[in-house]
Amino acid sequence: MHVVKYVFQQHGDERGMLVALEECKDIPFEIKRVYYLYDTKKEVRRGFHAHRSLEQILICIHGSCRVLLDNGAEKKTVSLEKPYEGLYIANDIWREMYDFSPDAVLLVLASDFYREEDYIRDYETFKREMGKGRENYDGD
Ligand code: T46
């Protein structure tokens, strides 16, 4: 499954910590969009979709959350709880975010602008498209 947990370089001194992220260097794509989720209600599960071409990096810059990842053949769960960790998610991977701590802020760096047509929001459609083995499908 094409997901990668990054541990970013931290620049720390007696004043505190700093993480810097540069596109095509620390982040493996050009960053076209940044958004963030916060004030997520208890017991809420979000996501429930895959992207046909979008790549993203999720960083829980405050608090914690968990992410369920599914490439149609295999599932895995990743915890995000450090502001210097990033979860790369390739296209064609179903994701659900859950177990948000009340103070969680989930920052997302995305490889493209918002396009609703890039979303697969129905799980049966996702399974069907994965079964056909689309050209850029990178799950294994
Ligand atoms: C993803 C996970 C991690 C916009 O207008 N522009 C945007 O860039 C985004 C991301 C969303 N929206 C609108 C669309 C919906 O009306 O904001 C509303 C909530 O979006 P959505 O229900 O898609 O949120 P999540 O938390 O289910 O998923 C989001 C991203 O959409 C998705 O790409 O991978 O976070």
Side-chain angles (χ1 to χ4, degrees):
M1 185 181 314
H2 196 177
V3 299
V4 182
K5 184 97 165 262
Y6 285 93
V7 178
F8 302 124
Q9 186 182 0
Q10 300 174 73
H11 304 273
D13 59 29
E14 64 286 353
R15 299 168 299 170
M17 307 302 292
L18 184 152
V19 170
L21 302 174
E22 297 188 6
E23 64 177 6
C24 304
K25 199 169 151 196
D26 310 282
I27 303 300
F29 50 75
E30 287 182 19
I31 301 166
K32 293 250 182 71
R33 179 166 50 110
V34 175
Y35 61 91
Y36 45 93
L37 315 180
Y38 63 98
D39 206 11
T40 304
K41 304 299 175 239
K42 205 170 177 325
E43 308 303 334
V44 152
R45 236 177 142 93
R46 310 184 57 132
F48 294 96
H49 60 258
H51 283 283
R52 292 191 166 92
S53 64
L54 190 75
E55 300 169 82
Q56 305 196 101
I57 291 213
L58 277 54
I59 308 170
C60 203
I61 55 171
H62 198 258
S64 61
C65 69
R66 287 156 73 83
V67 187
L68 169 77
L69 303 153
D70 177 351
N71 66 1
E74 180 196 353
K75 294 183 187 191
K76 71 194 277 186
T77 295
V78 175
S79 293
L80 291 175
E81 48 199 18
K82 303 276 194 305
Y84 54 82
E85 288 178 349
L87 175 65
Y88 169 82
I89 309 179
N91 62 308
D92 284 345
I93 295 182
W94 187 266
R95 80 284 317 268
E96 297 171 22
M97 299 84 73
Y98 62 103
D99 266 3
F100 286 90
S101 62
D103 57 349
V105 181
L106 183 63
L107 178 76
V108 183
L109 310 178
S111 66
D112 206 351
F113 302 116
Y114 178 74
R115 291 190 303 116
E116 185 55 39
E117 59 273 25
D118 190 62
Y119 284 73
I120 308 172
R121 292 195 184 267
D122 173 66
Y123 190 70
E124 291 312 312
T125 305
F126 167 70
K127 291 281 280 185
R128 202 167 50 244
E129 293 199 16
M130 292 308 95
K132 284 188 197 149
R134 263 190 294 117
E135 229 173 70
N136 56 356
Y137 179 45
D138 200 17
D140 52 21

